[in-house]
Amino acid sequence: IINNYLDGTEGGAMDKTNSSSMHFRDSKRKVDYVLAYHYRKCVLRHPPSAGSPEPKRGSASLALVSNGGTRKGRAEPQQQDSGQCAPQEQLGPLGVEVIDLGPLDALEEEKRLQREEYERNLVEAGLEIEKDPESKSQGLSFVRIHAPWQVLSREAELLKIKMPTKKMYEITAEGGILKTLNEIWCKLTEPLQPQVPQQENTNMKSLSYPFSREKIYLYNIKDKDTFFDNATRSRIVREILKRTPTKARNSMGIGTLIANNVYDAAYPLHDGEYEGQNDDMNERKLLYREWARYGAFYKFQPIDLIRKYFGEKIGLYFAWLGLYTEFLIPSSVVGIIVFLYGCITIESDIPSKEMCDQRNGFTMCPLCDKFCDYWNLSSACATAQASHLFDNPATVFFSIFMALWATMFLEQWKRLQMRLSYFWDLTGLEEEEEHPRPEYETKLLEKKLKNKNMTTKNSNKDEKEKLTWSDRMPGYAANLGLILFMIMLTFSAVFGVIVYRITTAAALSFSANETTRSNVRATVTATAVIINLVVILILDEIYGAVAKWLTEIEVPKTEKTFEERLILKAFLLKFVNSYAPIFYVAFFKGRFVGRPGHYVYMFDGYRMEECAPGGCLMELCIQLSIIMLGKQLIQNNLFEIGIPKLKKLFRKLKDERTEPKEMDTKQSKDPQQWDLDYILEPFTGLTPEYMEMIIQFGFVTLFVASFPLAPLFALLNNIIEVRLDAKKFVTELRRPDTVRAKDIGIWYNILSCIGKLSVIINAFVIAVTSDFIPRLMYQYAYSQNGTMHGFINHTLSYFNVSHLKAGTQPENSLFAQDVLFCRFKDYREPPWSHNQYEFSKQYWAVLSARLAFVILFQNLVMFLSVLVDWMIPDIPKDISEQIKKEKSVLVDFFLKEEHEKLKLIESFIIRDKQKHKSGTKGEKIRAASFCQFNQSQKGSFTSFSSQHTEV
């Protein structure tokens, strides 16, 4: 087996006969992986005395195919034909001439040597490669890699990849009423099922076992080329690429080479085009037609096909997203019912009626000093009625429902995860040994060189070098400092918006326009929320980049560790950024205002802002809805669609600018699949996809008491999000490497923490932000007839206007001559009391009731959540039985195969004995010698049989 060099005529013939862009030029060997790199040829300049330089040699259609071996005799033509500029020695009349290379040429030469060495090592590992000719002065070139059967079988055994055996066994179906309900459900949802190939008999499952070359007879191998699917083949090649070293710079694997710009990219190929009617159907086109289109929004997801094409890790993400979206349907329905209940009962709400009744004549204290006049509470009628839509007894029920909903969702996900693990043969999956990251290796190499320079006598060769806690100390310190700084930056942004609200409200109050003065609160609230949204979107992008940089300077050893630390940092920063303005409105706004005559001022003259007459819950609802909808519409959809397209356009323009426009007439005009895939955006992980859904899960659960319609808007967003992500994976991204995973990792722990935190936050929202507890206390403790009549008067305290500080009284007031007392919302003693303006007994009673409600609500919901968790088993009963059955079937299958193998060996022994007996008739003269020979033969048969029995 040698390196084949095709000349121009053969190469052209190959191009014409090549019917598939997924194979080598021989149209037989499949391309399992592609390496892409940019090259630049240097121009050799000889001195005049050296004579004329040699003409450049090479053919435009030349291709190098490495079939598994190398020959030294072919190395020189390869170097000359590729037009590279290795340092040469030429003997001339003046002796040896040395050609010096410039800095850029030297760097390019070093990269070329590293590529040659790496590709040589890949060939030694058993892979077969095919390279494009470097026919231009600079440009893009591809290395195509094929893994033959010997390599695939060897690596599959090392990686313990489970493959289907010949044995099929029946899956026990559920009986009784569950079976009937399942059949009815399948018939009803038949139009929603994607039209993808299904297993003929869904009640049968193939028995899987880790691949073993010694037990190859166990597996159902019809065709060695198709036994391992494309995803498994590319995964095996990726493992070889990761561990294949090069001596230059002590680099280990393709990750280091890409980090050092030796190669630009390494990726498996998609299964052809996803559009076009003439091409044959492939899995990519099938996924696009049945899953990755907005027109297929009503269909279920083909999870098994997604897992087969993209791998288990991405399959689990879409399974989780699908289950989350399905669970949003009942919560949306209940949220709509709660909202409709508020709409229906708004006319019968007594406190709202009292507030809107102008006959009550509640004269309220001025909202600002000097320029604000007294005002009637009835002018806030619309705000009070709007608040009732979200501040009613049904919201308490909805909060309890959503806490249990979150628990049931997590429990159902654990069950679905276990079911998928069983059908995807992930049960008993062991943690794979991960290769160190290139940055870790570089840091470790620097440490080794530093230690080698410092001392060579006291070095302990037996001790394995690794990065210690002290090596990472600067990174940890930078992490702590910068994370605290970023959190303070978020709080500063929130504080800046507060200052904007206070100053803008004061400025608008000075306006001479009556309309402007009457709409101060609405104007300030709307503009402040929009500013908050813009700040959140900007800081989100900054925090994502900062979290990645902070994780990199920590130098984690493996990709898994890197991903987990990145997730924790990014989630912490984005959580604080997204929810800080909402926390302020829910728990801090209006709490530190003071009282008339003794207000709290900011910046010497600006009063702290108060809640609206109907309470802060309505403003919390506005804040939550605008931020949630804005993030979903702008960040999750527009950014997700627009940014990849802009990156793709920028990369295309960059390649066109850097590559010279040299005509290559012999090159095929139609782009190959590796060309098309290179233009696509590289896959960078599932962290952004999970992150936006986890933040949305927080909006749905944390403050759902103030916004019952949050699940509905989340559902509408996710219906689009599923197809948007699907289209991105199928059409916009390079094909990701398949990664085995049996769960969603650290994301489950984050979801669980948010679910528990939502119970506490909703308890405080109901108790502190809403008027639920004051109304309850008034109705059962202070009302004379057990109704809500007189509630508004009960919550308003009296203030003697003569106690206002000098210079703060309203100027040109229409009420000035008639007003002796004004009202303000608080539980305080009246001015005629001995302890005037101190907190009243009602205040302390209500406060005690609030705290008691928080404790009662929290413990009740936590108990119900634990009860639901206990009642729903993590592993479905049928799956646990099937796992036990699979183990017993596997043992029986092995015993049966071994028994048949022994019977076959015994039949060979008996047949040989019969042949031997027939051949010894008539040779009685040599009986003694034959008897001795026969004994030795029996011994050999016995040893042969025993050897195979051991196998």
Side-chain angles (χ1 to χ4, degrees), residues 114 174 311 440 442 532 534 823 855 943:
Q114 287 189 58
E174 295 179 350
Y440 179 86
T442 305
N532 266 327
V534 173
R823 310 294 293 271
I855 296 170
S943 62

Side-chain angles (χ1 to χ4, degrees), residues 159-160 426-433 740 742:
L159 296 172
K160 300 179 181 178
L426 297 173
T427 52
L429 178 65
E430 299 177 1
E431 291 289 336
E432 297 180 7
E433 183 181 355
R740 285 194 300 179
K742 56 184 178 181

